[in-house]
Amino acid sequence: MTANSARMRICEALEGISAVRFVRTADVDVEDACRRFRSEGYEVTDWLRSFIRDYSGLTVGWKGVRGGDNEFSTAVEDALDAFLPNIRIYSRRLGCLALPIGVAFATEERMLLSEFDDVILGGDAGLQRVGKGFEASMCALVTGQWDKTFF
């Protein structure tokens, strides 16, 4: 699958959800993004590289189930705004490598991608598993159909 087809597929899926107010994409230089991740101290795995190629540069806004405005972003800048020691703590708590892929909500929860393709939200209150696979997880996030239990 090419980056364009992955990006088109998720944009179409998200735009088909009535709560979604906007979907924006931006071009991302994969090699530059990988260099930036490395320079911040992150391991650039094959699965991170694939994520950057397919989904970085995506911003989505939606109306929450309680009526508030929500947003998530997978911009490289937002992913790298994470505090590296916190990401390491999250990985230890998860028992696997998890890398930052963006930010969600006004509370700036860190969006993490695990080596097992799980999308996790990490923040002051703890960790929450959104789902398996980025596309399915983002659709669940914007519809509110994900397990909000902290672990």
Side-chain angles (χ1 to χ4, degrees):
M1 171 182 359
T2 67
N4 286 339
S5 66
R7 191 172 299 218
M8 283 178 42
R9 191 176 63 239
I10 192 168
C11 288
E12 288 171 359
L14 290 167
E15 288 169 344
I17 298 170
S18 62
V20 172
R21 299 174 57 137
F22 65 86
V23 176
R24 296 185 194 122
T25 61
D27 291 333
V28 175
D29 180 330
V30 175
E31 294 310 313
D32 179 60
C34 290
R35 272 191 296 280
R36 292 173 64 192
F37 270 87
R38 272 190 215 95
S39 72
E40 292 293 324
Y42 293 102
E43 179 181 352
V44 176
T45 63
D46 289 341
W47 47 271
L48 177 62
R49 179 182 291 278
S50 293
F51 177 87
I52 292 168
R53 180 194 67 222
D54 293 344
Y55 304 115
S56 281
L58 179 64
T59 303
V60 177
W62 74 97
K63 197 60 109 176
V65 292
R66 294 190 175 113
D69 289 330
N70 294 307
E71 189 172 305
F72 77 76
S73 167
T74 61
V76 172
E77 297 77 23
D78 289 329
L80 292 176
D81 192 37
F83 186 55
L84 179 59
N86 284 353
I87 302 302
R88 289 182 176 148
I89 290 168
Y90 297 152
S91 289
R92 276 196 304 274
R93 288 187 59 204
L94 292 167
C96 65
L97 181 60
L99 297 169
I101 57 170
V103 66
F105 303 113
T107 54
E108 296 187 355
E109 301 299 305
R110 294 293 129 198
M111 292 172 51
L112 309 169
L113 182 65
S114 81
E115 63 186 295
F116 302 114
D117 202 30
D118 290 320
V119 175
I120 310 289
L121 291 179
D124 292 342
L127 297 168
Q128 296 172 299
R129 182 178 183 272
V130 179
K132 177 75 105 190
F134 182 72
E135 292 177 37
S137 295
M138 293 306 96
C139 289
L141 186 70
V142 302
T143 60
Q145 302 299 311
W146 53 287
D147 182 1
K148 297 168 187 79
T149 304
F150 287 94
F151 62 95

